[in-house]
Every structure is written in C-alpha cells, then in structure tokens.
Amino acid sequence: MDFGQFLSYIGSGTVLTVGVTLIALPSGLLIGTLLALVYVYGGKVAARAMNLYSTIFRGIPPIVLLFILFFVVTKGVNLSAFWAGSLSLGIVSSAYQMEIVRGALLSVSGDQLMAARAVGLSRLQAIRYVVLPQAVRLAIPPWSNEAAIVIKDSSLVYALGVPEILRRAQLIGASSQKYLLAYLSAAVIYFLLVSLTTHLLNNLEQKLSIPSNP
C-alpha cells in the first residue's frame, strides 16, 4: 500500500473525528459558559465551587477523565461509545472553556454593567445583551486554541473502540506492519483539520472585531 491508500483508509475515519469534535466542543462551550456565569456572578461560594471544578478537571489527564466519565455517562443509559465518548470529552473541555469565558467576562468593564442597570435593564438582561456579546468577541482567540485541542483530544475515543482516525491508523499499521506510514498519514489529517479550523475561527474573529477609531 502506498501513502495515498493509507490516507484514503485512515481518512474515512475523519467523519467520526469531526463528529466527536462537533459534539464535544459545543457541549463544552454550553456547559463552560453557564459555569463561567455562575463563577463570575454567583457569589463567593459559587466561585469556590467552580474553582474546585476547574482545578479537578484540569489537573487530571483527559484520558483518565474520559474513562471515568464514560462509565458514569453510560451507566443506565443506552449510549454508543461514540456518543458517550463525545459527551465525556465535552465535559472535560467545559473546565477549560469555563476559564476562557470567565476571563472574557472579567475583561469587560464592570462600568458597562452598571450603566446598563442604570438605564433600566435587569441584571440578567445587562449580562445577556451588554456583557456577553463583548465577551464572545474577546473569547474567540483563546477558544480557537481550545478547538484545536479538542480536535486532537478526539483521538482519545479510540480507546473506547470508536473507529476514528487514530483507531484506523492503528489497525492498518498493525495489518501492514507499516506503522510509520500509518501514523504519519493520521498526523497529516489531524494537521489539516486543525489548520482549517484555526483559519475559519481567525476569519470569524476578524468579522466580529470592532473597528478601531482612525
């Protein structure tokens, strides 16, 4: 088998890799955003709880958390390894995305929240319509890094038996005994996925950026 055949076989797992990413990244963003709002606006007790959540999930290797969450998520629920693995990765990513959104929220001046309240908006409305839109713009650069990390971490679901890129590279490498070619093919595909995602998010950042005064 030549390099093109390896790419074709391993590349067929790209659909699953992209699928895992498209589940894990948005679910992590949703959970992370909610937790970040609690962290910033929920008071001292909530902040301590969120800090503990962040410390635990960022201090344990993702593969360990994946196995723990996999058996928790699938317990009593009929979920496939693909869905359980994807959701588990989303939960792992939520701790990192919480810190990203938290940093963006804190970067928005508190005076704007006070000004919004002064014109009659409730606290919730002020956060939703004034603070969050600005925080989203500020969060895109670090969030693009997390997107790249989630794409690469999607390879961890191979340990659950999901036939994504890395799993297919492992299988064809074992059958052909051409491990270098197999894993090099996987590396090329991951590199292309990360590069494309980074490019798209950079374009989004430019479109959402607020033009500076001349």
Side-chain angles (χ1 to χ4, degrees):
M1 299 179 70
D2 57 23
F3 186 59
Q5 290 173 310
F6 271 76
L7 278 177
S8 177
Y9 176 79
I10 297 172
S12 61
T14 303
V15 174
L16 288 174
T17 293
V18 172
V20 170
T21 303
L22 290 178
I23 294 171
L25 193 61
S27 61
L29 178 61
L30 176 61
I31 297 171
T33 299
L34 293 175
L35 295 180
L37 290 169
V38 173
Y39 201 150
V40 175
Y41 301 110
K44 292 183 179 180
V45 175
R48 289 173 183 171
M50 295 303 100
N51 183 59
L52 179 62
Y53 178 90
S54 175
T55 300
I56 292 174
F57 276 79
R58 294 194 299 158
I60 300 175
I63 187 65
V64 176
L65 288 170
L66 181 64
F67 279 123
I68 293 173
L69 292 170
F70 173 71
F71 290 109
V72 171
V73 170
T74 56
K75 186 176 182 180
V77 181
N78 186 22
L79 285 177
S80 66
F82 169 81
W83 275 99
S86 300
L87 293 173
S88 296
L89 281 178
I91 295 172
V92 173
S93 178
S94 69
Y96 296 88
Q97 298 200 55
M98 176 183 72
E99 293 293 350
I100 291 171
V101 177
R102 171 177 169 261
L105 290 170
L106 293 175
S107 297
V108 179
S109 173
D111 293 340
Q112 297 194 43
L113 182 60
M114 295 175 61
R117 295 296 305 278
V119 298
L121 293 181
S122 67
R123 191 163 186 260
L124 182 60
Q125 289 174 325
I127 294 171
R128 179 180 177 184
Y129 296 112
V130 178
V131 178
L132 267 179
Q134 298 179 70
V136 167
R137 292 186 176 94
L138 296 171
I140 291 177
W143 192 73
S144 64
N145 291 331
E146 178 61 17
I149 291 172
V150 171
I151 291 173
K152 291 181 286 186
D153 280 354
S154 68
S155 62
L156 297 177
V157 300
Y158 93 94
L160 306 179
V162 179
E164 42 67 71
I165 293 172
L166 184 59
R167 181 64 172 168
R168 284 178 171 269
Q170 184 184 45
L171 292 173
I172 197 172
S175 64
S176 67
Q177 294 299 302
K178 295 181 179 179
Y179 290 101
L180 177 60
L181 194 57
Y183 290 119
L184 181 60
S185 300
V188 168
I189 297 171
Y190 280 119
F191 177 79
L192 292 174
L193 287 175
V194 170
S195 297
L196 177 61
T197 301
T198 301
H199 176 71
L200 293 174
L201 289 174
N202 286 340
N203 287 342
L204 179 62
E205 179 187 357
Q206 293 176 5
K207 289 182 179 180
L208 293 179
S209 64
I210 300 176
S212 57
N213 294 326

